């Protein structure tokens, strides 16, 4: 690996850790775990319906982790589960009014900060960043898969 690539790789890894640290610090003030935050984030900040499986795949969380979080949310009256017609056991997670209020109190300050930060950069920078990062993730996934098969 040439020096330039090594320096960029180190910088990318440092930036990823720094970004994770920013979220960790913000979430820690809310009194919930990071994993629980991403479940709330899915339900509050991102439009659309989510099942536990959707959240697992979107945020790279284990089924057990998401199930535990969602079951606690059900027990607290924050969400209900609705079976998706035509499926065996897929359930959509629906916020109750209490859940929406609680979730918004946790997610919206961070989501709004994200939005303000996002708006400080031109859209073409975000497009280039996400495109490059997606290509890198796919390549890294393939390299790790290929090396595991050797």
């Amino acid at each position: 690996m040439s020096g330039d690539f090594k320096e960029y790789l180190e910088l990318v890894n440092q930036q990823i850790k720094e970004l994770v640290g920013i979220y960790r610090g913000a979430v820690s003030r809310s009194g919930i775990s990071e994993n629980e935050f991403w479940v709330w984030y899915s339900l509050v900040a991102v439009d659309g319906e989510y099942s536990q499986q959707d959240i697992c795949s979107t945020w790279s969380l284990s089924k057990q982790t998401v199930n535990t979080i969602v079951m606690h949310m059900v027990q607290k009256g924050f969400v209900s589960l609705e079976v998706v017609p035509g499926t065996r056991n897929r359930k959509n997670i629906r916020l109750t009014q209490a859940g929406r209020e609680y979730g918004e109190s946790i997610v919206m300050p961070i989501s709004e900060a994200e939005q303000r930060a996002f708006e400080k950069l031109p859209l073409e920078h975000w497009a280039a960043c996400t495109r490059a990062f997606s290509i890198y993730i796919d390549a890294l996934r393939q390299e790790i898969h290929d090396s595991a098969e050797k």
Side-chain angles (χ1 to χ4, degrees):
M1 178 184 289
S2 76
D4 287 343
F5 284 119
K6 191 173 183 176
E7 289 173 24
Y8 280 120
L9 180 58
E10 184 177 334
L11 181 58
V12 165
N13 285 331
Q14 287 171 355
Q15 289 173 333
I16 291 168
K17 294 297 285 179
E18 185 174 359
L19 189 58
V20 168
I22 291 169
Y23 280 101
R24 182 174 292 133
V27 169
S28 71
R29 290 189 283 281
S30 68
I32 63 171
S33 72
E34 289 175 63
N35 290 337
E36 184 176 349
F37 172 79
W38 293 114
V39 173
W40 281 112
Y41 191 93
S42 296
L43 299 173
V44 173
V46 182
D47 289 333
E49 293 184 345
Y50 275 90
S51 68
Q52 292 184 46
Q53 294 90 339
D54 295 332
I55 292 172
C56 291
S57 62
T58 300
W59 301 107
S60 299
L61 298 172
S62 75
K63 289 178 184 178
Q64 182 178 358
T65 297
V66 172
N67 185 58
T68 299
I69 291 167
V70 170
M71 289 302 107
H72 283 114
M73 294 167 86
V74 168
Q75 290 170 354
K76 292 177 180 178
F78 290 149
V79 300
S80 63
L81 299 175
E82 295 179 7
V83 175
V84 176
T87 65
R88 198 177 60 131
N89 63 355
R90 187 178 178 92
K91 296 176 186 171
N92 281 333
I93 306 164
R94 300 257 186 242
L95 288 169
T96 63
Q97 185 59 36
R100 177 155 304 284
E101 291 170 8
Y102 179 75
E104 286 177 354
S105 74
I106 293 168
V107 171
M108 294 315 292
I110 295 171
S111 179
E112 290 165 356
E114 288 174 323
Q115 183 68 32
R116 290 188 305 273
F118 189 91
E119 291 170 352
K120 290 182 179 183
L121 291 174
L123 189 57
E124 59 269 14
H125 287 170
W126 285 109
C129 179
T130 57
R131 191 170 42 253
F133 212 65
S134 180
I135 293 167
Y136 172 64
I137 289 168
D138 289 343
L140 180 59
R141 183 179 289 120
Q142 187 63 49
E143 288 297 325
I144 288 174
H145 177 265
D146 290 350
S147 66
E149 290 187 348
K150 291 181 182 178

